[in-house]
Amino acid sequence: METVCVVGLGYIGLPTAIVFALNGKQVVGIDTNPQVIEQLHQGKIHIEEPGLQDACAKVLQEGRLVVYSRPVSADAFVIAVPTPLNHETNQAELSYVEKATESLLPVLKKGDLVVLESTVPPGTVEEVMIPILQRTGLDPYEDLWVVHSPERVIPGNILYELEHNSRVVGGINRGSALKGKELYSSFVKGDILITDARTAELTKLVENTFRDVNIALANELALICSELGVDVWEVQRLANYHPRVNLLSPGPGVGGHCIPIDPWFVIETSPVLTRLIRTARIVNEEMPDRVCQFVDTLMPEPGEGNIAVLGVAYKANVDDLRESPALRIIDILTERGYTVKAYDPHVRGTYRGRANTLEEALTDMDLAIIATDHAEFRGLTPEYIKHVARHPVILDTRQMLNSEDFLTAGVSVYTLGNGKRLRERQISYPEVAAGF
Ligand code: SAJ
C-alpha cells in the first residue's frame, strides 16, 4: 500500500497524514473546510502542536503530502473526522463519519483498505459504515479490508506518541486486521495489537472512561477534604507512595474532545449497566458549578466584583477550548453578575470575557481563578498580584502556586481541595463543601 488518503485534517488527521508522509507513503489529505485547505496550500497549519509546523512544511515541500477537498483513488483510506456529543441526547453525532464514508464511494475499488480512526460507539463500523460501503456494489467482507484503529495520542506530544504508542487495530475479519497492521507498521514503533472492530471501538472508549472515572474520584476527594479540613494534594502525594495506587489530580472539571465525551458513548450503548460511569460523569460535570459556589464564599458580596479567569484551554499548554471547564466557569460567574475577564496565552480564538493580556485580566480584580495550569502562570508573583489587583486573592484549581509563600507575601491563595487552608481561615466547611 503506497498511497494513503486521510479524510479529516484536524488534531488527529493532520498529524497522522504527516507521519504517513514522513514514513514513505504518498499521502492525500482531505478536508471539507476550505480555510484548512487554503492554509495548508500556504504551508501553514491551523492547530498548535509542537513540531507539527516544521514536519508539515517538509512533507508539503517534498510533495509527499498534497491536500484536496475530495478523496481520490488510493490504496488505503483513513477517516479521522469528529464524532461530537449531541448534548441534548448525550449520544454520538455520527454524521461526519457517515459523510466521510460516503465521500469514498466514487473512488473505492476492490482490494482497498478503509480505516476508521474516529472514536465511535461500539458497533459503528459494522452497523453504520458497512451498509454505506455496500452501496459501491462491492462486498466489504470479501472485496475490501475494513478496520477501526483508534489513536491514543496526548495533545501536546502527538508526533512522538503517534510513532511510539502501541496501537489497536480491529478488523471486520482477520484479513482486514492484518491489512491494517501492515499499514500502521509503516510508522508505529510500539506494539500493533489486532482484534475485531467492535472490541477495538470499546477498547478506545474504555481507556478514556477509565481516566474519567479516576478523575471523578480525585474530584470527589477534593470535596471531602474541603469538608474534613484535610489537604487533598497531600493525600494524593502520600497515597501514591502505595505501589498500586495512582490517584489522579482534582481540577475545575474535565475538558477536551475525548475524556468528557467517550464515557457517554459507553452509556449510550449500555444505559442500564453504566451506573458508575454515569455517576463519574456527573461528578466531573458539576465541578465548574462547585468552583463558582466557592467563589461566592470568597467574594465580599456574591455576584459583585471583578474576577480574572487565568487559562481557558481545557488543559495546560494547549490551545484547544473544546468542552473546557473554564468556559463554563466564565458563563456561570458572568450570569451570577460578576465582571469576568479571561486570559489565555495559547488560545488564538475568541471567548467570552477575553482579555488580550494578563495585566488586562488582573487589573482591579477582586479574585483570580487559575483554571488552566499553563506554564506561563508559574511566573506569577505575589508582588505582581498586589500591584495590579484590587483584592489580592487567588483560587488555584490546579495547585500551581505555593500558597504558603503567597500568604506570607500578603496574597491569599485557596487551592481546590485544600481543606487545611479553609480550617486555618475559619471558613466553614459545610458552606464550602456545599460549594465545593
Ligand atoms: N484532568 C484532571 N485531572 C487529571 C488529569 C486530567 O482534571 O489528573 C483533566 C484535564 O485538565 C483535562 C481533562 O481532564 O481538562 C482531559 O485531559 P487529559 O490529559 O486526561 O486528556 P486528553 O483529552 O488530552 O487526552 C486523553 C488521553 N487519554 C488517556 O490518557 C486515557 C489520550 O491518550 C487520548 O488519546 C485522548 O484523550 C483522546 O484523544 O482520546
Side-chain angles (χ1 to χ4, degrees):
M1 282 171 288
E2 288 318 304
T3 56
V4 182
C5 182
V6 178
V7 181
L9 298 177
Y11 283 89
I12 299 304
L14 181 59
T16 302
I18 292 166
V19 168
F20 270 124
L22 288 170
N23 287 276
K25 300 295 182 190
Q26 183 58 43
V27 183
V28 178
I30 307 295
D31 204 287
T32 53
N33 180 336
Q35 284 172 323
V36 169
I37 302 292
E38 184 47 39
Q39 274 186 296
L40 287 167
H41 280 157
Q42 291 167 14
K44 294 199 189 67
I45 62 174
H46 54 292
I47 53 180
E48 181 183 328
E49 179 62 33
L52 199 65
Q53 176 59 61
D54 292 347
C56 187
K58 176 175 165 38
V59 293
L60 286 170
Q61 213 166 13
E62 291 169 356
R64 303 213 58 94
L65 171 63
V66 293
V67 292
Y68 296 143
S69 56
R70 270 200 305 276
V72 296
S73 178
D75 300 321
F77 297 85
V78 176
I79 296 175
V81 295
T83 49
L85 182 71
N86 176 323
H87 285 282
E88 270 77 56
T89 63
N90 274 332
Q91 299 206 327
E93 178 54 68
L94 295 177
S95 56
Y96 297 101
V97 170
E98 290 163 347
K99 287 195 183 73
T101 307
E102 285 164 355
S103 74
L104 305 183
L105 301 185
V107 295
L108 267 181
K109 62 189 181 297
K110 192 173 166 60
D112 284 352
L113 167 65
V114 178
V115 181
L116 176 65
E117 287 205 0
S118 306
T119 303
V120 290
T124 299
V125 168
E126 290 157 312
E127 292 150 24
V128 175
M129 287 182 70
I130 293 295
I132 295 171
L133 294 172
Q134 283 169 332
R135 287 170 15 202
T136 56
L138 296 168
D139 176 352
Y141 291 91
E142 295 297 327
D143 303 327
L144 297 172
W145 310 107
V146 184
V147 305
H148 174 61
S149 182
E151 42 70 30
R152 304 170 138 162
V153 297
I154 199 103
N157 196 23
I158 290 180
L159 283 178
Y160 176 82
E161 289 207 353
L162 265 179
E163 295 200 1
H164 294 86
N165 285 358
S166 56
R167 186 139 200 156
V168 172
V169 176
I172 58 170
N173 47 39
R174 182 167 172 75
S176 294
L178 292 171
K179 205 71 180 166
K181 178 171 183 173
E182 182 191 331
L183 174 70
Y184 284 103
S185 302
S186 62
F187 70 76
V188 172
K189 296 182 175 62
D191 296 326
I192 300 180
L193 311 160
I194 63 173
T195 182
D196 62 274
R198 186 175 285 253
T199 301
E201 289 164 333
L202 184 58
T203 300
K204 169 65 186 177
L205 299 175
V206 163
E207 291 162 3
N208 286 346
T209 300
F210 171 83
R211 192 155 173 85
D212 194 52
V213 168
N214 279 280
I215 294 169
L217 173 61
N219 284 332
E220 188 153 280
L221 289 174
L223 308 186
I224 295 167
C225 287
S226 298
E227 192 171 47
L228 290 183
V230 172
D231 180 357
V232 71
W233 303 93
E234 189 177 1
V235 170
Q236 177 196 38
R237 185 174 62 82
L238 299 175
N240 285 353
Y241 273 92
H242 187 292
R244 286 174 299 286
V245 172
N246 176 32
L247 266 183
L248 294 181
S249 301
V254 173
H257 61 294
C258 302
I259 304 285
I261 306 289
D262 295 2
W264 286 114
F265 292 5
V266 185
I267 295 167
E268 159 185 352
T269 309
S270 185
V272 174
L273 297 175
T274 44
R275 291 175 302 160
L276 170 66
I277 295 171
R278 184 191 298 272
T279 302
R281 272 288 71 232
I282 292 166
V283 167
N284 289 334
E285 287 180 349
E286 282 177 351
M287 286 312 285
D289 294 85
R290 294 182 178 280
V291 167
C292 294
Q293 285 162 345
F294 190 28
V295 167
D296 283 343
T297 65
L298 295 178
M299 294 294 279
E301 283 301 319
E304 280 179 32
N306 302 330
I307 294 180
V309 174
L310 303 188
V312 187
Y314 81 90
K315 73 174 200 179
N317 309 324
V318 299
D319 65 346
D320 194 342
L321 287 177
R322 287 177 289 183
E323 308 288 330
S324 172
L327 291 174
R328 179 107 183 84
I329 288 170
I330 293 166
D331 283 345
I332 296 169
L333 293 175
T334 306
E335 279 136 36
R336 265 201 180 45
Y338 295 108
T339 301
V340 180
K341 286 190 181 163
Y343 170 68
D344 190 301
H346 291 263
V347 176
R348 287 172 272 190
T350 187
Y351 44 82
R352 193 174 193 177
R354 182 189 171 104
N356 293 316
T357 64
L358 182 61
E359 180 143 3
E360 185 189 331
L362 289 172
T363 298
D364 292 338
M365 63 96 187
D366 300 305
L367 173 76
I369 302 171
I370 297 183
T372 312
D373 41 340
H374 289 315
E376 288 79 356
F377 300 143
R378 290 201 189 286
L380 280 175
T381 63
E383 294 67 33
Y384 178 68
I385 295 293
K386 286 194 294 185
H387 171 66
V388 290
R390 187 160 65 179
H391 290 98
V393 182
I394 297 177
L395 171 51
D396 180 0
T397 72
R398 301 288 191 170
Q399 205 214 22
M400 276 201 88
L401 305 176
N402 182 316
S403 53
E404 293 317 313
D405 293 352
F406 274 70
L407 187 65
T408 310
V411 176
S412 287
V413 174
Y414 294 89
T415 306
L416 173 70
N418 183 345
K420 255 186 194 168
R421 190 86 176 72
L422 303 175
R423 193 169 54 184
E424 286 153 11
R425 312 278 287 166
Q426 277 85 44
I427 294 181
S428 73
Y429 326 127
E431 180 186 312
V432 168
F436 256 142

